[in-house]
Amino acid sequence: MADQTQIMDAEMDEEIVAMKARVQAMEAEAAQLKVMQEQVDKDMNVGVLSDAAKEDIDNRSVYVGNVDYSSTPEELQYHFQACGTINRITILCDKWTGHPKGFAYVEFADAMSVPIAVTLNESLFKGRLIKVTAKRTNFPAFMRGGYRGVPRGRGAYRGGAIRGGFDRGGFGRGRPPYRARRGYFQPY
């Protein structure tokens, strides 16, 4: 009996040593991949665009709406090639299904191509009238003043006595305050 437990312990020790070796190999591979990814990011300058560079790209781009779902970038390039040199065409897709969302962005080499491209608004592309507008620069809400001093939530001006309700803030609009009745169970 003691011999069997010693044999089992030895086998388990060998398995643990093998697992530790595999974990060390995976950690070394992960570190190597991290170094490689940092090198690629540095070479491609991913995520280093300044606000001015983003705004410049937006000034050279147009939004194309109502794009047919079976459209390809090559077909859009053919449709917009008369407007000027095209740097990039982005057809946005749903991240879960991978299906196109029905709109695209076309980036031109220079900003003078944008007004020419906007003239293609309501033109026919693959049997659909497309909407072409200059791409707007997206600013987060806190930069454009999303909070304008209007209180939100259950506060002083949300259904209280000021709006003509009962004087219980938050209920208002005709709902009376809660009054328990003796001997009568009312859960709601």
Side-chain angles (χ1 to χ4, degrees):
M1 188 82 165
D3 292 335
Q4 288 179 346
T5 56
Q6 288 177 352
I7 293 172
M8 289 175 62
D9 287 342
E11 289 175 0
M12 291 175 78
D13 289 340
E14 290 175 9
E15 287 180 16
I16 291 173
V17 169
M19 281 187 209
K20 287 182 180 179
R22 282 185 286 202
V23 167
Q24 286 178 347
M26 287 191 290
E27 288 174 350
E29 186 178 353
Q32 188 179 16
L33 285 172
K34 184 177 180 182
V35 169
M36 289 171 56
Q37 184 65 41
E38 288 173 357
Q39 182 64 32
V40 168
D41 287 347
K42 190 174 97 175
D43 291 345
M44 295 181 65
N45 291 329
V46 173
V48 184
L49 290 177
S50 66
D51 290 337
K54 289 178 186 176
E55 192 169 340
D56 178 49
I57 291 172
D58 288 347
N59 289 335
R60 294 183 284 128
S61 301
V62 293
Y63 163 85
V64 185
N66 200 23
V67 176
D68 188 58
Y69 295 114
S70 65
S71 300
T72 63
E74 291 80 17
E75 293 169 338
L76 279 170
Q77 183 176 4
Y78 182 74
H79 190 74
F80 285 96
Q81 72 183 359
C83 301
T85 307
I86 297 173
N87 283 351
R88 173 177 36 193
I89 296 176
T90 307
I91 299 176
L92 275 83
C93 296
D94 184 74
K95 68 179 176 180
W96 303 111
T97 63
H99 299 297
K101 288 186 174 183
F103 61 94
Y105 292 102
V106 179
E107 179 189 331
F108 292 100
D110 60 343
M112 297 305 295
S113 301
V114 172
I116 300 167
V118 171
T119 61
L120 291 175
N121 187 26
E122 295 187 5
S123 63
L124 202 61
F125 176 70
K126 292 187 83 169
R128 300 177 94 172
L129 291 175
I130 58 172
K131 178 182 178 182
V132 182
T133 59
K135 184 178 183 221
R136 64 177 181 82
T137 302
N138 191 18
F139 294 110
F142 67 88
M143 290 181 67
R144 62 177 179 215
Y147 179 74
R148 301 195 192 285
V150 178
R152 296 275 188 210
R154 292 185 166 201
Y157 301 107
R158 299 278 299 181
I162 294 171
R163 280 196 164 164
F166 290 88
D167 78 359
R168 286 184 52 100
F171 287 119
R173 297 194 189 198
R175 184 174 175 184
Y178 172 73
R179 289 192 187 146
R181 291 164 61 186
R182 287 184 192 222
Y184 183 71
F185 177 69
Q186 247 184 337
Y188 299 109

